[in-house]
Amino acid sequence: MNKSKDTIQNCFTQWEENKVKTSLEKFPERKKEFEFDTGVEVKRLYTPLDTCNDYESDLGFPGQYPFTRGVQPTMYRGKFWTMRMYAGFATAEESNKRYKYLIEEGSMGLSVAFDLPTQMGYDSDNPIAEGEVGKVGVCIDSLADMEILFEGIPLDKVSTSMTINAPASVLLAMYIAVAKKQGVFPEKLRGTIQNDILKEYVARGTYIFPVKPSMRLITDIFEYCSKHVPKWNTISISGYHIREAGADAIQEVAFTLADGIAYVNAAIEAGLHVDDFAPRLSFFFNAHNNLFEEVSKFRAARRIWAKIMKERFGAKNPKSWALKFHTQTAGCTLTAQQPENNIVRVAIQTLAAVLGGTQSLHTNSKDEALALPTEDSVRIALRTQQIVANESGAADTIDPLAGSYYVESLTNKIEKDAMTLIEKIDEIGGAPQAIEQGYIQQEIMDSAYKYQKDIENNEKIIVGVNKYQIEEDAPKGLLRVDPMVGERQKEKIKALKEKRNNEKVEETLETLRDICRSDENIMPAILDAVMEYATLGEVCGVMREEFGEYKQIVMI
C-alpha cells in the first residue's frame, strides 16, 4: 500500500532527526556538500518526495512518445547497440588494415577519424598541412585515397560514421562514389556524417565557411540524401565536443538540442518538409564519469527532443520525434598518469551509455591521453563493450534504472534546467545568433574554469592526478605516425594529377563554381567533381573563393 506524501515526509523527518543526526555525530560525512559538476546538489537520500512523474506522459513505453525509456520497443533484447570504434591514422592503406582488424575483432561499424588538413579542406601538399598529415586521423586527398581506405570492405554490409564537418559534403560524395565503384547503389548505404558546423564555431574549430553557406551545405545534404541516400543519417548533432570543451551535462544537452533546432529551422526555411528529413537526424553525446547523471542526461535529452519536434515543429511522423544518438566515452577524462586506470573509467562510461539507451558506442583506449591507440589498447576498449553486452546483464531489460527516485529526479532536473538554457538561446534569436554574440562560448568557458579550479583545489578528486599519485616510468610502446607520411601523400597527389583527365576536372570545378552562385543543390556538382578525381583541396578551394571563410570571434 502506498503511503501519502505527507506520511512519507513525516517519516523522512523522523529518520533525519532520530537516525541521521546521531550517525553524523559519530561518523561525519566525507564533505559538507555533495554536488554535480553543474553545481546541482546531490541529496543524501531520494524518495517519492523527489519525483512527480506521470507515467504515461513523462515516461511511457520504449519506442513510443516521449521516448524517455528508449527509441526501440525491445532495445538491446533485439540486438546490441552498434559497437563502432573510431579509428584512422597516417595513410589510407594503414587505416584500411586497422578497419579490417577491428571488423575481425567484432566491431559492428566503422568510424573514420580524419587528419586536420582533411577536416579543414586542405590537400596534403598545401603548405598549411605541413607536419599535420596523418597525425590525428587518416589523410584523404581524393577519391583515390577513399578507394584504398575501403578496399575489401563491402559498403552494403558495413555502417560507416565519418567525423567530418565543414567538408562533409565532399567526403560524403567520395563515399557514394566508392560505393558506386563497388557496385553498391546509394540507397543501400548506411552510416552518418557528423556535418555539424555550429559546434565547430564554439567547441572544436575545424570550420571553413561562414554560417550562411555552411547551413546551405547542410540543408542541401538533407535534401539530396532524402531522395538518393535514404538510409543515411545526414547529420550527427554533436554534444560530444561541447562537453570535451568544458560544458557540464546540462549545457551539453541544451546547446546540442539548440543546434538541432537551428538545423531544423534552416531546413524548413529552405523549403523542406520536417517529416522528410527529421527521421534521419542523429545526435552524438559524451559519456562522462558520473554514472547516474549521464544516464539521466540521455533520458532527459530524448524527452526534450520528442516534445520539441512534436509541439514546436509539428512533426507527424513518430520517427521524427525519436532522438537517436551515438555515444563516445569521454576523452577529456583520460589521464596520462597511470593510464591503466582509464580502462576502469571507460568501463563506467560504457555502462552509463548502455543504461542510458545509446544506439551506437565508441569506447576510447587507455593510451589516448598519450598518443594514437595501439592495436592492443583498441582491442581492450572494444572488449569493454563486448563484456558489458554479454556478461553484465545491463542489456537484458529496457531502461533498468527507470523508477529510481534518484534517476527520475535527476532526469526531471536536467530536463528543466536544459529547457531554461534553450529558452535563453531562443530569446537571443537561436543558436547561430547566440554563437555570434559569444553567449554559448562564454558559458562553456565558465564551466571549464570551474571544473579545473575544483581539481586544483582538491574539491574534485581525479585518481592518479591530484590524489593517489605514484612514481612512473616514461610510457613505452606508443603508436607513432611515420613523419614521412606527408611526403608520400605529396607524391600520390602529383601522380594523380598527371594521370587524371585535368580538362574534365576543370570543367566540373567550373560547374561547381556556377552552382555555388545559384540556389541549386550543390551535391550533384560535388559528386561529379570527385568522380573525376578532383582533390578535396580543389573542391573546397572553389567553395572558399565563392563563400568566403568564417572569422572566429575572440573571447576576452
Side-chain angles (χ1 to χ4, degrees):
M1 181 181 294
N2 292 326
K3 293 185 177 181
S4 70
K5 288 201 170 184
D6 286 342
T7 302
I8 294 172
Q9 181 63 68
N10 290 335
C11 292
F12 182 81
T13 301
Q14 291 176 22
W15 170 74
E16 284 195 313
E17 292 177 351
N18 298 333
K19 294 292 185 180
V20 176
K21 186 176 180 180
T22 302
S23 178
L24 289 175
E25 290 173 355
K26 295 181 179 179
F27 307 105
E29 292 183 332
R30 289 181 284 116
K31 48 188 177 181
K32 292 182 178 180
E33 295 180 350
F34 291 76
E35 62 181 26
F36 298 106
D37 296 334
T38 57
V40 173
E41 177 193 7
V42 180
K43 296 182 179 182
R44 180 180 293 118
L45 182 72
Y46 289 79
T47 73
L49 300 172
D50 298 292
T51 60
C52 54
N53 288 35
D54 176 84
Y55 186 87
E56 186 176 358
S57 63
D58 295 332
L59 298 177
F61 293 92
Q64 294 181 7
Y65 184 86
F67 299 99
T68 309
R69 305 201 64 186
V71 294
Q72 288 121 4
T74 61
M75 289 300 289
Y76 310 135
R77 289 170 68 97
K79 65 175 183 177
F80 293 128
W81 59 94
T82 301
M83 299 178 192
R84 187 189 303 281
M85 299 301 292
Y86 185 50
F89 63 95
T91 62
E93 289 87 349
E94 290 178 84
S95 294
N96 176 264
K97 291 178 184 177
R98 176 62 65 89
Y99 294 157
K100 288 177 178 175
Y101 171 77
L102 289 169
I103 291 170
E104 289 172 2
E105 293 296 328
S107 180
M108 301 172 184
L110 301 176
S111 184
V112 183
F114 298 99
D115 69 359
L116 283 176
T118 302
Q119 293 181 52
M120 298 297 293
Y122 292 113
D123 290 335
S124 298
D125 60 356
N126 190 303
I128 203 169
E130 195 71 33
E132 289 295 338
V133 177
K135 286 291 180 68
V136 299
V138 62
C139 50
I140 298 295
D141 291 312
S142 71
L143 177 58
D145 289 323
M146 198 68 123
E147 290 168 350
I148 295 168
L149 187 66
F150 292 104
E151 186 274 325
I153 299 172
L155 299 188
D156 57 341
K157 295 181 173 62
V158 172
S159 169
T160 303
S161 173
M162 294 188 280
T163 301
I164 195 72
N165 295 280
S169 55
V170 187
L171 274 297
L172 175 59
M174 289 182 183
Y175 190 83
I176 294 169
V178 171
K180 287 183 175 182
K181 287 177 175 289
Q182 287 189 3
V184 178
F185 294 111
E187 53 267 28
K188 290 188 176 181
L189 295 177
R190 294 177 298 111
T192 306
I193 41 172
Q194 195 164 104
N195 198 28
D196 175 7
I197 201 62
L198 292 178
K199 68 94 179 47
E200 294 295 327
Y201 298 138
V202 300
R204 196 162 177 266
T206 59
Y207 46 77
I208 302 175
F209 314 113
V211 175
K212 187 175 180 180
S214 293
M215 297 297 274
R216 174 196 167 178
L217 286 167
I218 290 168
T219 55
D220 278 0
I221 290 171
F222 288 179
E223 181 184 40
Y224 182 84
C225 289
S226 68
K227 296 176 181 177
H228 303 287
V229 201
K231 295 182 180 179
W232 194 265
N233 293 320
T234 50
I235 193 168
S236 177
I237 304 161
S238 178
Y240 181 85
H241 304 98
I242 290 170
R243 189 68 177 273
E244 291 286 291
D248 60 40
I250 291 169
Q251 292 170 331
E252 180 188 355
V253 172
F255 300 155
T256 305
L257 300 191
D259 285 350
I261 290 168
Y263 294 128
V264 174
N265 277 326
I268 292 172
E269 289 172 5
L272 303 182
H273 188 277
V274 65
D275 285 320
D276 288 341
F277 66 87
R280 303 313 303 175
L281 302 179
S282 65
F283 290 79
F284 177 20
F285 288 114
N286 196 301
H288 221 267
N289 276 339
N290 192 306
L291 178 70
F292 297 104
E293 184 179 43
E294 293 302 289
V295 172
S296 303
K297 177 189 76 179
F298 298 133
R299 299 173 85 246
R302 276 196 296 269
R303 190 156 73 205
I304 295 170
W305 188 248
K307 291 178 180 178
I308 287 170
M309 294 307 294
K310 186 177 182 180
E311 298 171 9
R312 181 167 180 161
F313 291 110
K316 304 298 182 186
N317 185 349
K319 292 182 179 179
S320 299
W321 308 333
L323 182 146
K324 297 167 294 182
F325 65 95
H326 170 73
T327 308
Q328 181 174 341
T329 56
C332 63
T333 67
L334 303 181
T335 63
Q337 302 92 330
Q338 301 176 44
E340 290 81 4
N341 294 345
N342 294 329
I343 298 173
V344 182
R345 294 185 177 101
V346 169
I348 293 169
Q349 294 161 9
T350 298
L351 190 59
V354 171
L355 293 175
T358 193
Q359 277 60 70
S360 69
L361 177 61
H362 163 71
T363 35
N364 290 326
S365 301
K366 65 176 184 178
D367 47 2
E368 289 190 55
L370 296 161
L372 290 170
T374 63
E375 280 194 358
D376 286 347
S377 62
V378 165
R379 186 179 62 252
I380 292 170
L382 178 57
R383 292 288 184 263
T384 302
Q385 294 196 52
Q386 292 164 338
I387 290 168
V388 169
N390 294 284
E391 299 184 27
S392 72
D396 293 349
T397 191
I398 303 168
D399 193 23
L401 296 184
S404 157
Y405 304 131
Y406 185 27
V407 169
E408 295 299 354
S409 175
L410 271 179
T411 301
N412 293 343
K413 178 65 174 172
I414 292 171
E415 178 184 16
K416 179 183 176 183
D417 290 352
M419 279 305 306
T420 298
L421 283 175
I422 290 171
E423 288 164 1
K424 171 66 175 176
I425 292 169
D426 285 341
E427 291 173 6
I428 294 171
Q433 290 76 16
I435 292 167
E436 290 290 344
Q437 294 183 25
Y439 169 74
I440 293 176
Q441 296 95 310
Q442 190 64 56
E443 288 288 304
I444 295 172
M445 288 168 59
D446 290 346
S447 176
Y449 176 76
K450 177 183 180 300
Y451 185 86
Q452 184 61 32
K453 187 177 178 182
D454 287 347
I455 293 172
E456 293 174 2
N457 292 337
N458 285 333
E459 294 177 14
K460 176 175 288 297
I461 300 302
I462 307 297
V463 173
V465 175
N466 59 354
K467 197 172 184 179
Y468 311 114
Q469 299 101 324
I470 60 172
E471 291 292 328
E472 298 181 79
D473 295 329
K476 299 177 181 179
L478 300 176
L479 177 63
R480 301 297 185 191
V481 174
D482 186 344
M484 294 303 294
V485 165
E487 295 305 312
R488 291 198 290 270
Q489 278 302 113
K490 291 177 185 178
E491 290 300 317
K492 286 170 70 175
I493 293 172
K494 181 180 178 182
L496 173 77
K497 290 181 177 180
E498 291 174 352
K499 181 180 178 181
R500 71 186 184 181
N501 186 333
N502 286 297
E503 184 177 333
K504 191 68 176 176
V505 170
E506 286 302 317
E507 289 178 10
T508 60
L509 292 175
E510 283 307 308
T511 299
L512 173 62
R513 188 182 302 278
D514 291 339
I515 297 297
C516 288
R517 296 171 179 173
S518 74
D519 294 328
E520 292 182 47
N521 192 301
I522 203 168
M523 279 300 297
I526 293 175
L527 184 58
D528 288 344
V530 301
M531 288 285 285
E532 294 295 335
Y533 293 90
T535 67
L536 173 73
E538 289 171 332
V539 174
C540 288
V542 170
M543 292 192 284
R544 271 188 167 93
E545 291 169 7
E546 296 303 318
F547 297 150
E549 296 187 65
Y550 179 76
K551 303 301 180 185
Q552 177 66 47
I553 296 170
V554 179
M555 302 298 298
I556 299 175

